[in-house]
Amino acid sequence: MATRLSDVAARAGVSVKTVSNVINDYPHITAQTRAKVEAAIVALDYRPNVSARSLRKGRSDFIALAIPEMASPYFAELGAVISRAAKRRGITVLIDQTEGEAPAEKLVLDGMRGQLIDGIIFSPITIVPAKLTAVSTGKPLVLLGERPAGGQFDRVAVDSVQASYDATTHLIELGRRRIAAIGVGGTSTGTVRRRGYRKALKAAGMPHDPALELAGTGYHREDGAASMRELLALPTPPDAVFCFNDLLALGALRTLADAGLRVPDDVAVVGFDDIEDGRYHSPSLTTISPDKEWLADSAVSLLLERIAGNGEAARCDLTVPYTLQIRESTTG
């Protein structure tokens, strides 16, 4: 039979109310009493009834994080820092992987965990903010990523246009003149980052060459490797490549190594995201480094404000700080 609250109270020698106060982290509990209750909880392996507790409190202290891919190093790192930011506030994060598919994204918003979670931090791929009102169940929602929220929802995102402009300008300032871009496909990420790439070329008086803009089929290492092979097959290959994420850049670096080309002497490479793999690659990867800790703290804080009842305040659109981390793939 499952351990009850009264069993914990009897073992600790306190009232049921006192046990409840300790579990709910109420103030004004002495350290000695708290220690006795916590020891009894451990000894009896007591597990609170989350559903009942949620009904009593009016909230569960669980939030959902919906991301496209858990296998992606960027989203794995982001999930970890968001989980830590929530844990510091006594909140547990439940992670949903949508794989960037519309039915899975809609399921998240339609309330798959509606009775269990208080709000959602969501990085959409297919669902645009204009459609969110039709599928959202009314849970507080904070968006991540390049898609503008149109004032309907809170959003936390890097200024990808400016960051891409800075990455491309770095290559231009190094004297590179045939700068390719990998990842320019139909996603919002590809569209927005291409805008910054082209803006930098235009500012330098350099035309953009459609042959140097490759979409590929995805944002993984193999996509970067395949795109780099296509670029090297051009009559005049590029002398630099801006990859729209670090996985594409790592794939491109592999192709360059297989072709016997030197990085950065023959081809300079820049990525975007600053994942750990890029920092320890040889050569180490120059990349746009978003402040993930700032992003996580801001997204969690914003969501908890909405959960606490600040629902009528104007929607926020917060811009994540970033730096251009210059490493061996552009400077040797």
Side-chain angles (χ1 to χ4, degrees):
M1 188 172 66
T3 303
R4 298 170 300 178
L5 208 65
S6 57
D7 299 325
V8 176
R11 184 178 181 97
V14 298
S15 68
V16 170
K17 177 64 173 175
T18 298
V19 175
S20 177
N21 288 345
V22 170
I23 290 171
N24 288 287
D25 201 25
Y26 285 5
H28 314 306
I29 302 291
T30 67
Q32 183 180 10
T33 298
R34 187 179 298 277
K36 286 196 300 182
V37 172
E38 289 175 347
I41 289 171
V42 172
L44 297 175
D45 192 26
Y46 173 70
R47 297 167 189 263
N49 185 322
V50 174
S51 297
R53 183 179 171 193
S54 173
L55 287 172
R56 289 193 300 271
K57 293 177 62 180
R59 53 184 283 187
S60 66
D61 291 339
F62 285 89
I63 62 174
L65 171 64
I67 55 177
E69 289 184 89
M70 292 178 67
S72 162
Y74 172 75
F75 285 113
E77 292 176 15
L78 187 61
V81 293
I82 287 177
S83 295
R84 287 197 298 269
K87 184 177 181 180
R88 289 194 294 270
R89 296 161 172 83
I91 303 297
T92 300
V93 177
L94 306 177
I95 299 180
D96 279 317
Q97 176 178 264
T98 66
E99 296 183 348
E101 297 177 350
E105 292 189 344
K106 187 174 184 298
L107 188 60
V108 169
L109 296 168
D110 275 344
M112 179 172 63
R113 292 173 167 168
Q115 300 303 313
L116 186 59
I117 62 169
D118 298 320
I120 306 168
I121 298 174
F122 181 35
S123 180
I125 297 295
T126 62
I127 295 181
V128 298
K131 295 181 179 179
L132 288 177
T133 52
V135 296
S136 178
T137 59
K139 293 286 183 182
L141 179 67
V142 173
L143 297 177
L144 306 179
E146 279 86 355
R147 292 186 184 277
Q152 298 181 73
F153 301 96
D154 298 307
R155 185 180 74 131
V156 182
V158 177
D159 183 347
S160 278
V161 173
Q162 186 60 45
S164 299
Y165 176 92
D166 292 346
T168 309
T169 297
H170 170 62
L171 293 169
I172 294 169
E173 290 174 345
L174 291 173
R176 309 295 169 146
R177 289 298 174 264
R178 281 188 61 75
I179 302 172
I182 295 177
V184 301
T187 67
S188 56
T189 297
T191 301
V192 171
R193 294 180 185 176
R194 178 174 61 183
R195 195 179 306 153
Y197 158 78
R198 287 184 173 181
K199 181 181 176 183
L201 294 179
K202 183 177 181 180
M206 298 166 58
H208 71 268
D209 181 350
L212 295 178
E213 297 182 359
L214 295 192
T217 57
Y219 273 66
H220 302 95
R221 295 173 182 86
E222 60 266 29
D223 303 304
S227 292
M228 193 70 244
R229 285 193 294 271
E230 189 174 339
L231 289 168
L232 292 181
L234 292 173
T236 308
D239 58 5
V241 183
F242 172 36
C243 300
F244 288 3
N245 78 354
D246 284 354
L247 289 184
L248 291 171
L250 292 175
L253 287 170
R254 178 67 202 195
T255 292
L256 290 167
D258 289 346
L261 295 171
R262 300 167 299 166
V263 175
D265 303 64
D266 298 316
V267 182
V269 179
V270 176
F272 200 119
D273 288 339
D274 196 17
I275 63 174
E276 186 176 25
D277 289 4
R279 296 195 290 274
Y280 289 94
H281 192 272
S282 181
S284 57
L285 181 62
T286 294
T287 185
I288 295 294
S289 178
D291 189 334
K292 299 184 187 76
E293 295 287 349
W294 190 98
L295 187 162
D297 272 327
S298 298
V300 171
S301 294
L302 199 51
L303 185 62
L304 294 184
E305 285 182 18
R306 298 299 182 189
I307 292 170
N310 190 18
E312 300 304 317
R315 301 299 160 183
C316 294
D317 203 334
L318 303 181
T319 302
V320 180
Y322 68 86
T323 55
L324 174 64
Q325 292 291 338
I326 299 174
R327 300 193 181 106
E328 295 166 344
S329 68
T330 58
T331 60

